[in-house]
Structures are given as C-alpha cells and as structure tokens.
Amino acid sequence: MQKKNKLYSAVITGVGMYVPEKVLDNKYFESILDTNDEWIRTRTGISERRVLEEGGTSVLATKAVEDLLKSTNTDPLDVDVIIIATITPDMAFPATAALVQDNIGAKNAWGYDLSAACSGFLFAMQSGTSLIESGQYKKVVVVGAEKMSSILDYTDRNTCLLFGDGAAAVLLEPSEDLNIGVQDSILRTDGSGKDALFMKAGGSLHPASHETVDNREHFVYQDGKAVFKVAVKGMADISVEIMEKNGLKSEDIAYLVPHQANLRIIDATAKRMGIPPEKVTINIAKYGNTTAATIPLCLAEYYRDGKFKKGDNLILAAFGAGYTWGSMHIVWGID
Ligand code: UT7
C-alpha cells in the first residue's frame, strides 16, 4: 500500500462486540474429558469460553453490528458494505452478510462473507480498506464472527476446549489525513497447510452423508503440534517484517493485537518483536480461540477500556488454517 498514491485512508471510527452469556469453564471439560484445568491454562492460556445456545453465527454478528451502529450513532441506511469474516456461516448460502444486512435494515448495503479462518478479519480489513481507499464507499462494516461450537467434537480433547463463540465489528470510514488509519498490510496464503487444520465434510468434495456423520467429519480437525510450530514462526516473522517495512521500532508500537489461539504463540511473537507483555492485547483467558473474531474482540475491549489513543501505532497479526497469515499496521484514529 503506497500512502502517497491514495486520496483517502481507511480509518476505524467505531467498534462493536457481542459474546453470548453461556460460559464453559475448564472445570466443565474436566467433567466430560480426560483433561484438567492446569493443563489447559498452562498449555493454552484459556480459562473459559462462550457458547451460543440458539441460532447461528448471524445472531452473534447482528448483535455486534447493532452495538457498533448504536455506539457510533450510525443509521443502518448509511451503511454501504458489510463484510463478514467467518468459517461458520449460518449456511453455505446465502451469505451471513445477507442475513445481517436484513436483520439490521441496511437497505442500501451490499455485502459478502470471507473465508480465511483465523486470518479472516485481517483479510476482510484489507478488502474493506481497498473499498474505502478507492473513494467509492464511505461506510464499510467489517465483522469477525464465529459459532465455533457448531463445528466442535466435544469428545475430542485436542480441539473442543480451544475454541469459543463470539463476534466483533469495526466501522471503516475515509479520512483525508493519510497518517491515520490502515497504513500497510502483509497477507499470505499457503494451501499446502490444508492437511493440518480443516473440516473434512460438508463441502462439495464430501457432501453430508450418513457416512460423513458416522465418521465425525463435520468437526474441526487439527494437528496441534504441526500448526503450533508454523504459527509461532509465521506470526512472528510477518510481524517483524511489517515493522521493518514501515521503519517501526519496538518502542514505536503502542499495542500488538494478535490472534488469540494460544498464549505461548502470542508470547513468542511479542518477544521476537521486542514488545513487553503490557503492550499486547490479551483476552484468550475469557473467550478462547474465536477464530475470525479474536482480533476485533481485542480491538473493541481495549479501545473501550481507554487503552488506545489517537496516533497510536497498532500491529495486528494472525495465523490460521489454510495456512493463512498476515500482519497489518494501523494508526489508531479515534480520540
Ligand atoms: O487458530 C488457528 C491456529 N491454531 C493454532 O495456532 C493452535 C496451535 N497449536 C496449539 O496451540 C497447541 O499445539 C495445542 C494447545 C493444541 C496443544 O498443545 P501442545 O503443547 O502442542 O500439546 P501436545 O499436543 O504436544 O500434547 C502434549 C501432551 C501429550 O501427552 P504426552 O504425549 O506428552 O504424554 C498429550 O497427550 O499433552 C497431552 N494432551 C492433553 N492433556 C490434557 C493433549 N491435549 C490434552 C488435553 N488435556 N486437552
């Protein structure tokens, strides 16, 4: 992204979020699986996660967007585009974005879903940024929303206790001040990682059948150890790369906003960047891994906690299924 070649910068002008009320704590998993609170906390950093009991991802996304519109005093009729990053859409089609558009009455908007797993929010932010920078759109809502509980095998201790449900959204608007907003991003996809983290059935390759259900193929499969290794390197490398590319030193960065898959991956990334723990947004203990929703949930909570100031340099970073990974440099634009 060349700053000087654009007329507008895409600035986050508001945040919204929703997490369902029902909490599953580590004790619950002790009661259903061969695991324990100590292992989960020390190996992952997770203490609890939320679960949506009724409805699909569109329920979570709608509530997060309603919160966003209310807190920014935005008329739904003024929304131009809704982009929803999710791997747990309500259904294959129509897009969850269409369901949310209807729920909120955004009668002038178009929208679409974007599938990039844990990097989904970064990829969606880049899409939204391009729409704003083009000058064609003025209000783009970017959402990360997941009902991960709908694709988890609650008999598999390797996966089910890692993930949770939640949604968060940001509003992107144009600014002629090019020194605030999204400054740069580095995004990557490497499909050779497809065998380490996937959901086998339910798509066109293995449509739902008695066999796919009997074989428990409609759930997340993860080779945790393999993903851990590439995630640590991938997220750290791409975060350092964006710092160097933009001439940022550790002390220039107000916050690292990392994807929340495992506290050990977050710590390793921060360490490589030379960023102290107090400058890293962390809420994995409360929500677990909400896939596309982790980064916007961090943005929403830390902003509302008064942690971000206008002009702050933030580095967003993610790694996930695909593989997909990326980093984004944002200068916070709200007072
Ligand atoms: O967000 C998308 C990208 N995903 C990620 O970034 C996740 C990356 N992977 C991870 O976060 C970690 O690999 C896990 C948290 C999934 C697993 O942690 P680990 O340190 O890699 O554990 P492991 O699979 O190497 O297992 C270590 C030990 C094993 O026992 P032995 O063989 O050492 O006796 C496992 O059987 O821990 C055992 N174990 C468990 N024990 C209690 C594995 N799962 C559990 C469990 N409770 N739930």
Side-chain angles (χ1 to χ4, degrees):
M1 238 177 290
Q2 290 290 316
K3 245 197 239 180
K4 49 188 176 298
N5 289 341
K6 62 186 188 187
L7 293 174
Y8 304 104
S9 185
V11 181
I12 294 177
T13 56
V15 296
M17 63 175 277
Y18 177 74
V19 290
E21 272 163 36
K22 182 165 180 180
V23 174
L24 294 185
D25 62 12
N26 291 348
K27 288 264 169 251
Y28 168 76
F29 289 94
E30 281 184 1
S31 75
I32 61 163
L33 293 166
D34 177 18
T35 189
N36 60 80
D37 173 57
E38 217 250 320
W39 188 96
I40 303 171
R41 274 189 298 102
T42 54
R43 304 309 292 166
T44 71
I46 301 167
S47 298
E48 23 179 87
R49 61 300 277 150
R50 303 298 179 100
V51 173
L52 180 70
E53 292 183 277
E54 281 195 23
T57 293
S58 67
V59 171
L60 302 163
T62 298
K63 287 180 190 282
V65 174
E66 283 170 348
D67 181 34
L68 170 73
L69 297 182
K70 190 164 170 233
S71 66
T72 54
N73 211 5
T74 302
D75 185 335
L77 297 178
D78 291 337
V79 173
D80 296 314
V81 189
I82 302 166
I83 308 172
I84 302 194
T86 187
I87 54 162
T88 51
D90 279 33
M91 50 197 115
F93 67 90
T96 305
L99 309 177
V100 172
Q101 175 277 332
D102 188 43
N103 288 343
I104 64 168
K107 293 197 187 311
N108 300 311
W110 61 285
Y112 55 96
D113 291 359
L114 187 153
S115 170
C118 300
S119 309
F121 183 74
L122 288 190
F123 287 20
M125 275 291 289
Q126 180 54 53
S127 304
T129 294
S130 301
L131 293 172
I132 293 282
E133 287 179 352
S134 73
Q136 227 181 330
Y137 300 100
K138 301 238 172 322
K139 288 187 195 292
V140 177
V141 173
V142 180
V143 188
E146 304 284 5
K147 185 179 177 179
M148 291 303 293
S149 61
S150 66
I151 56 168
L152 293 174
D153 179 352
Y154 283 94
T155 66
D156 177 12
R157 72 173 186 173
N158 293 311
T159 50
C160 69
L161 42 77
L162 302 173
F163 297 92
D165 302 344
V170 301
L171 181 62
L172 287 179
E173 293 186 271
S175 167
E176 286 177 14
D177 179 355
L178 303 186
N179 294 315
I180 57 168
V182 178
Q183 302 292 303
D184 196 12
S185 69
I186 307 174
L187 305 171
R188 300 270 183 263
T189 297
D190 177 2
S192 68
K194 66 185 189 309
D195 298 328
L197 182 48
F198 60 91
M199 186 169 86
K200 188 169 179 183
S204 56
L205 182 59
H206 301 290
S209 66
H210 287 290
E211 200 187 340
T212 62
V213 172
D214 290 345
N215 292 338
R216 310 185 79 78
E217 290 170 1
H218 294 272
F219 297 124
V220 172
Y221 167 84
Q222 175 170 250
D223 178 347
K225 232 183 250 210
V227 178
F228 187 87
K229 262 189 226 152
V230 280
V232 165
K233 184 167 169 14
M235 211 157 100
D237 282 355
I238 209 155
S239 303
V240 168
E241 191 182 340
I242 203 161
M243 285 170 72
E244 289 173 356
K245 191 173 161 212
N246 289 273
L248 293 167
K249 301 205 172 57
S250 315
E251 56 271 26
D252 300 326
I253 294 164
Y255 277 94
L256 165 66
V257 186
H259 170 53
Q260 315 274 306
N262 188 315
L263 193 53
R264 291 180 292 145
I265 300 174
I266 296 172
D267 288 346
T269 301
K271 206 165 165 202
R272 272 278 303 285
M273 296 169 76
I275 296 192
E278 65 274 16
K279 288 182 161 190
V280 183
T281 67
I282 293 171
N283 59 15
I284 188 171
K286 291 189 291 183
Y287 306 132
N289 183 350
T290 55
T291 306
T294 62
I295 291 177
L297 279 171
C298 280
L299 289 174
E301 288 199 328
Y302 275 70
Y303 169 62
R304 286 180 172 174
D305 245 20
K307 298 285 203 291
F308 303 154
K309 295 187 308 294
K310 190 171 181 179
D312 275 352
N313 285 306
L314 307 185
I315 301 291
L316 282 44
F319 191 96
Y323 298 119
T324 57
W325 68 110
S327 57
M328 180 170 266
H329 171 212
I330 289 178
V331 176
W332 195 250
I334 322 176
D335 282 319

